[in-house]
Amino acid sequence: MKNSVFSNCGMCSVRCPIRVETTDGRVTWIEGNPNIPGMEGSLCARGSAGIALLYDFERPQYPMIRTGPRGSGQFKRVSWDEAFSFIAEKVKDLQSKYGKKTVALVDRGAGLFGEIQRLIVRGMGSPNYFNHDDFCRKNVDLAYQTLLGYGRPEVGYDWTNTNHIVLYGRNAIEALGVREVNNIVKALENGAKLTYIDVRASKTATKATKYLQIRPGTDYALNLALINVILKENLFDRDFVDRFVTGLPELENFIKPYTAEWAEKETGIPAHEIVSLARQLGADKPRVILYPGWFAARYMDAFYFARSVIILNALLGSIEQKGGLILAKSPKEVGAKGLNSLLERIPAPEEKRVEAEEGKGFLYDGAGHILHLFRAIKTGQPYSVKALFVVRYDPFAGITLKDIEEILNGLELLVTIDTNYSATSWYADVILPESTYLERDDIIGMQRGAKPAFVMRRRAVNPIYDTKGRWEIVKGILSAYGAGEYLPFETIEELWNYQLEGTGVKIEDFNKTGQVALCKDAKIYSRDELKFKTPSGKIEILSGKMAERDVPYFLDPITPAKPNTDEGEFRLVFGRMAVHTHVQTHNNKYLNEIVPENELWINSEVAKKLGIKNGDIVEVSSEDFSGKIKAKVTPFIHPEAVFMYRGFENEVPWKTRSYGKGLNEGRLLRGAFDRMAHGSHTGALFENFVRVKKV
Ligand SMILES: Nc1nc2c(c(=O)[nH]1)N[C@H]1C(S)=C(S)[C@@H](COP(=O)(O)OP(=O)(O)OC[C@H]3O[C@@H](n4cnc5c(=O)[nH]c(N)nc54)[C@H](O)[C@@H]3O)O[C@H]1N2
Ligand SMILES: Nc1nc2c(c(=O)[nH]1)N[C@H]1C(S)=C(S)[C@@H](COP(=O)(O)OP(=O)(O)OC[C@H]3O[C@@H](n4cnc5c(=O)[nH]c(N)nc54)[C@H](O)[C@@H]3O)O[C@H]1N2
Ligand code: SF4
Ligand SMILES: [Mo]
């Protein structure tokens, strides 16, 4: 018998709406939800390979407790109750020695369905909740917050109606979300320009109207020059700027020395190209989208770079503008009531997170700074963090072996909740296997946007192995700990009904498309209605929040260090590929078949000098690690950089298809925890040099 449910893909963090078909209780087909504009049946390769994840036997099938030394791979099978009691006893013991705040949880971010795991730490009375954002989008988030008062997830992009898109190393065609890529392609078909800036010609460069190769780490210099030309030549949207932007005189003063000629020397992009781009944007405004980035934890100036992109959008009047950036509307703004929070049922702990205790200078109010968390675990300062829960995140897959060792030395309890055997699980004390997204129901999520909606992920089939849904795992842990009252629901329907109470929406309302929109049409404010969420209600170049927290408004550009390429020294940069997600899909049967290992992009001229030919095996080394990889010799990368796709060389032998294949760039990131970006305290993963030589 055939059946069909609407759900959300779980093969990456985009969570595209999907329709899942089952035949006699087996998943036989997955496609993009045909009811959702921008999806219309389409799915990426990873989304389609969800079936291979579901039926994979090389994933955790029952709870496990470690029996041998960490990293030995020795575990025993236990029942769920044994696992929950083990965790609860250990946490209580550690808390009695080190205080409640000795427990921390780190996840991949709240996203649509992630509120639930935060109940674990809060239920245990600790403030120490962290997510991965320091290594991903936090600079952009903070840049939006300081300028507009909105966070990154609250800003959408009206791709299809735009005249001009500018992407800075945002490899949107490959590091993709299905709706976004479909809409960008539609924009190009409608005649929009795409200016693409990258140190290498990625797949997105091949779709661009103009590709500008930039010297690594100099995008901020480029933007200062764009601002300079736009102000000097009066190319900006005066009406918008007069109404909404404060701090313009200070910006004008700061920007004076940063001419296009100056930026040519920094970026390697000819001054006439910079002036031409500024003039095109001036002509194409206000329907322009300069995208401030997603994976933004790259360089030390990332926060100020992201601010410069948003400032450019503000000068060009593209904010809350058709064909530009569109602000999310809260349920209240569209006349609806939001979901009832599960987290807010629990009193917020009074103690401070590790970094807050270290002093001033922090802009973030959401999750804590992970670099500070790891530092606290390693050093015991400002206080000891001894128990760590890791949920849907694999930090150990992307850092050095030395960092892993130091973190493990500081921890007395490490618990992972994952659908795969992650690199972190391999070292964990307890592995709690979550049911895959096709086998579980999640809490209802709130999709932000100009037309906010509630979203439901429903199971397509029952769990195949002895795994549980996330809310059931959280409930089990809290109950064993003695805090079961914080999640008192017996069934997912009871939980959903609690979330929906008072909203007027019922569970059945999701049957039709899997989503319930909170208003009929997307709401866009006119300039007469528009108000920002900053203290002044305007776009604050001189941000009140930054002033209050002692963070300078402007950063003088810093010329990046130059590697000695004649000696085989390069800046290491990396990114995502279309058929894999970060570190989680390389063992997927289908996707592993398509791309089993990575290569090292290296510039042809430089490779020639070093005697490296296409396909040669090269050794890549940092101060404390070296590994081998195949060279891809190409003219399409800046001579100072080498590039590889991330997430390869899995070290967990249980995943036999991907074990040892390719090279893991994370192991080469020596000192990555010691570099925190200016103003934002995030990682700066591309501020890192390696040596390359032919084997
Ligand atoms: N070295 C290095 N570090 C990086 C980056 C890099 O490029 N290189 N990129 C940074 C960026 S931008 C990001 S976003 C992060 C990404 O890094 P991660 O978040 O660690 O990577 P993912 O592969 O998305 O998966 C994380 C874990 O979630 C698990 N998982 C997947 N689905 C589920 C589920 O439904 N439930 C549960 N419980 N677990 C699930 C996966 O099996 C995997 O173990 O890394 C950041 N850090
Ligand atoms: N298929 C797939 N899609 C994904 C993901 C995935 O794992 N797989 N992950 C999702 C996530 S969590 C994220 S954060 C996004 C990331 O989305 P992106 O940030 O678009 O993706 P990356 O592949 O990390 O892109 C890094 C690019 O930066 C370039 N680069 C390096 N240095 C510089 C520089 O100095 N200047 C400029 N202009 N460019 C530079 C690199 O050459 C590379 O092309 O992708 C999302 N989409
Ligand atoms: S982009 Fe692909 S993998 Fe990510 S949620 Fe969408 S379909 Fe799934
Ligand atoms: Mo990311």
Side-chain angles (χ1 to χ4, degrees), residues 139 168-171 294-300 302 683-687:
N139 289 293
Y168 306 79
R170 168 73 190 103
N171 186 11
W294 187 346
F295 168 45
R298 297 174 180 165
Y299 296 94
M300 292 296 280
L685 296 178
F686 291 177
E687 299 284 10

Side-chain angles (χ1 to χ4, degrees), residues 13 108 132 135-137 294-295 576 582:
S13 53
R108 183 46 200 289
H132 83 298
F135 287 129
C136 180
R137 56 172 206 182
W294 187 346
F295 168 45
R576 342 259 162 256
H582 291 290

Side-chain angles (χ1 to χ4, degrees), residues 528-678:
D528 289 335
E529 298 166 301
L530 183 58
K531 207 167 168 287
F532 292 91
K533 289 202 218 155
T534 51
S536 65
K538 306 232 175 184
I539 297 176
E540 296 183 349
I541 293 179
L542 308 183
S543 152
K545 191 168 179 174
M546 290 168 78
E548 182 194 301
R549 305 195 189 190
D550 286 349
V551 179
Y553 303 128
F554 299 110
L555 176 78
D556 290 324
I558 304 156
T559 304
K562 200 177 161 81
N564 185 352
T565 52
D566 287 344
E567 295 289 312
E569 190 186 35
F570 296 89
R571 188 182 288 274
L572 176 64
V573 302
F574 37 87
R576 342 259 162 256
M577 66 160 39
V579 301
H580 283 299
T581 298
H582 291 290
V583 296
Q584 63 173 282
T585 54
H586 302 71
N587 201 56
N588 180 291
K589 194 164 180 284
Y590 297 166
L591 301 173
N592 181 271
E593 252 175 48
I594 304 174
V595 184
E597 62 185 301
N598 53 354
E599 301 170 318
L600 186 80
W601 291 40
I602 180 166
N603 176 277
S604 325
E605 299 282 316
V606 188
K608 204 165 151 192
K609 278 195 203 151
L610 297 173
I612 296 168
K613 289 192 293 299
N614 195 36
D616 279 353
I617 302 294
V618 293
E619 187 180 71
V620 189
S621 326
S622 68
E623 282 162 61
D624 63 355
F625 183 86
S626 74
K628 295 190 178 72
I629 184 170
K630 203 186 279 174
K632 174 188 166 97
V633 175
T634 164
F636 297 113
I637 181 164
H638 194 280
E640 285 180 24
V642 287
F643 170 88
M644 61 172 106
Y645 286 111
R646 94 161 292 216
F648 289 85
E649 201 189 12
N650 147 47
E651 290 166 1
V652 180
W654 295 327
K655 296 189 285 188
T656 60
R657 300 170 206 114
S658 56
Y659 183 62
K661 294 213 180 117
L663 181 61
N664 179 352
E665 87 296 335
R667 301 289 182 248
L668 291 156
L669 300 180
R670 176 79 199 271
F673 283 0
D674 304 324
R675 286 185 292 272
M676 293 188 196
H678 301 297

Side-chain angles (χ1 to χ4, degrees), residues 82-145:
E82 278 173 274
F84 292 145
S85 317
F86 178 90
I87 293 166
E89 290 313 310
K90 189 79 195 174
V91 166
K92 280 195 253 179
D93 176 47
L94 291 170
Q95 285 186 321
S96 71
K97 289 189 199 139
Y98 302 102
K100 290 222 181 283
K101 58 191 177 184
T102 202
V103 182
L105 182 140
V106 57
D107 68 15
R108 183 46 200 289
L112 269 179
F113 311 115
E115 188 192 23
I116 189 79
Q117 63 260 19
R118 296 184 63 174
L119 271 65
I120 298 175
V121 259
R122 194 177 275 199
M124 293 176 174
S126 170
N128 280 311
Y129 166 67
F130 301 81
N131 64 28
H132 83 298
D133 281 357
D134 275 350
F135 287 129
C136 180
R137 56 172 206 182
K138 197 178 273 176
N139 289 293
V140 181
D141 211 3
L142 289 175
Y144 272 127
Q145 282 179 23

Side-chain angles (χ1 to χ4, degrees), residues 7-10 12-17 107 109-118 339 342 391-392 434 437 440-447 454-458 470-471 496 499 510 514-515:
S7 183
N8 287 81
C9 180
C12 87
S13 53
V14 175
R15 302 179 189 84
C16 295
D107 68 15
L112 269 179
F113 311 115
E115 188 192 23
I116 189 79
Q117 63 260 19
R118 296 184 63 174
L339 294 168
L342 291 157
V391 184
R392 201 180 147 264
E434 185 173 336
Y437 67 100
R440 71 172 190 253
D441 304 299
D442 274 315
I443 60 172
I444 296 171
M446 160 85 183
Q447 178 85 59
F454 296 154
V455 175
M456 185 179 273
R457 177 187 269 156
R458 273 191 168 134
R470 198 170 312 165
W471 76 276
W496 285 340
Q499 286 187 287
F510 291 88
Q515 304 198 357

